[in-house]
Amino acid sequence: MSQVSRSILITGGTSGLGFHAATTIAKRRPDTFIVIASRKDPDKAADAINTKLGQRNVQFMPLDLGNIKSVRSFVNAWAEKKLAPISVLLLNAGLQFPGEVSYTTDGLESTFGINHVGHALLFHLIQPYMAEEARIVVTSSGTHDPAQKSGLPDAKYDTAEELAHPTPATLKNDGRQRYSTSKLCNVLWTYALDRRLSRVNKKWTVVAFDPGLMPGTGLARDYGFFLRFVWNKVLPALLPLLRRLLTPNVHTPEESGGNLAWVALDDSDTSGKYYEGRKQIPSSTDSYDQKKQEDLWEWTVNYLSSGQQQKQNFEALT
């Protein structure tokens, strides 16, 4: 791949939404090096994409977003490989923990730690390896917006510290609410980053993306047997009915993967926007609260910085 001039990095690209987005992007950009990053690649997703397309431009790299050491090791490995600059960064991976509160190896509540903190650290550390012109897409969810009546408990953001280290007052909150709140964090962080990009001399854009409801994906892997069965076997067969009864924003993973690829490869200069599929729409009322955006940004930078110099680099987007 020595002649490749650009790279694209996709987290969570080994299955579901990310896999289909990676496949579409690899097909449309055969001259670009595509890296799919997840904890594991049991189904050899990168090989499957290369075989399907008759290409060799997709590679898997291990990344555990719930482990800060793993994120740092991933970026070090990226640097050692001397890969082409990143023109598209898809912060796509996400997990849901519906049961009792769980924690990452670093002691953060898992939903917040994986869906937000791990991605934020990846972005900050990978910046030096991004192209002069780059697009960042953060996969959020319509569940972050109470007005969409998704069926999940409404997102509730008080402080980032409370989300990271739940106190007795929130320790027993519904795990599904932790998920919808983490998706709100994705949008808050997107807007906070966009505001900072507008202040510096970088040709980077950042947007948030809602893939819609996608029955059959691995999101329900931690649910009980019955709910997993309904999610994986029953609901995928009822997509036309779900679209009529619930919302048109119900898709197969392949459809949503195509939409994510479209948003990622959009060559317009749109930034600081929220996409439902390929359509720009307003995000939730809370997502525009700059106090919440700044609380999240500042907590994240303070928590992740390994020293004063790194904190300054993170703040200055260098």
Side-chain angles (χ1 to χ4, degrees), residues 46-109:
D47 291 343
I49 296 172
N50 287 331
T51 299
K52 177 180 180 179
L53 300 179
Q55 300 172 183
R56 297 178 55 196
N57 61 321
V58 182
Q59 178 180 312
F60 167 75
M61 288 179 63
L63 169 66
D64 183 354
L65 290 164
N67 185 325
I68 287 176
K69 183 181 293 186
S70 173
V71 178
R72 293 185 182 277
S73 295
F74 175 89
V75 176
N76 289 337
W78 186 283
E80 291 171 0
K81 288 176 179 288
K82 300 185 183 303
L83 299 176
I86 299 168
S87 60
V88 179
L89 175 62
L90 272 65
L91 304 178
N92 166 73
L95 289 176
Q96 185 175 153
F97 302 88
E100 294 183 358
V101 64
S102 63
Y103 295 92
T104 67
T105 56
D106 304 294
L108 299 174
E109 190 281 316

Side-chain angles (χ1 to χ4, degrees), residues 133-302:
E133 296 186 19
R135 187 158 180 82
I136 305 148
V137 182
V138 184
T139 297
S140 179
S141 166
T143 62
H144 91 280
D145 187 356
Q148 293 202 24
K149 302 186 185 305
S150 67
L152 266 64
D154 292 349
K156 188 176 187 300
Y157 186 104
D158 290 322
T159 67
E161 173 60 23
E162 183 67 39
L163 296 176
H165 304 107
T167 63
T170 62
L171 200 58
K172 295 188 181 300
N173 282 7
D174 193 320
R176 298 173 304 157
Q177 183 183 59
R178 297 188 191 283
Y179 176 77
S180 60
T181 303
S182 76
K183 296 289 99 179
L184 171 59
C185 289
N186 292 151
V187 187
L188 291 168
W189 187 82
T190 295
Y191 293 160
L193 174 57
D194 173 66
R195 191 159 53 250
R196 284 159 172 80
L197 289 176
S198 68
R199 301 171 187 163
V200 297
N201 187 28
K202 289 185 182 294
K203 298 178 181 179
W204 294 355
T205 60
V206 58
V207 296
F209 170 77
D210 168 25
L213 181 66
M214 296 178 295
T217 63
L219 190 62
R221 72 192 69 177
D222 292 307
Y223 278 73
F225 172 79
F226 176 73
L227 290 178
R228 285 203 314 274
F229 175 79
V230 171
W231 179 257
N232 292 321
K233 302 298 182 182
V234 178
L235 294 183
L238 300 177
L239 289 188
L241 181 62
L242 293 174
R243 287 171 180 149
R244 288 198 298 270
L245 297 180
L246 295 179
T247 171
N249 193 27
V250 182
H251 307 283
T252 65
E254 186 171 9
E255 289 169 344
S256 288
N259 290 336
L260 176 54
W262 184 89
V263 173
L265 300 180
D266 181 12
D267 59 3
S268 72
D269 60 356
T270 57
S271 189
K273 303 298 182 181
Y274 179 83
Y275 283 81
E276 180 183 85
R278 305 186 186 194
K279 179 175 63 176
Q280 289 183 30
I281 68 168
S283 51
S284 71
T285 299
D286 276 357
S287 69
Y288 295 106
D289 187 329
Q290 288 197 16
K291 288 185 178 179
K292 289 182 170 65
Q293 295 169 12
E294 292 305 303
D295 175 79
L296 179 64
W297 183 274
E298 292 172 8
W299 181 93
T300 304
V301 167
N302 287 332

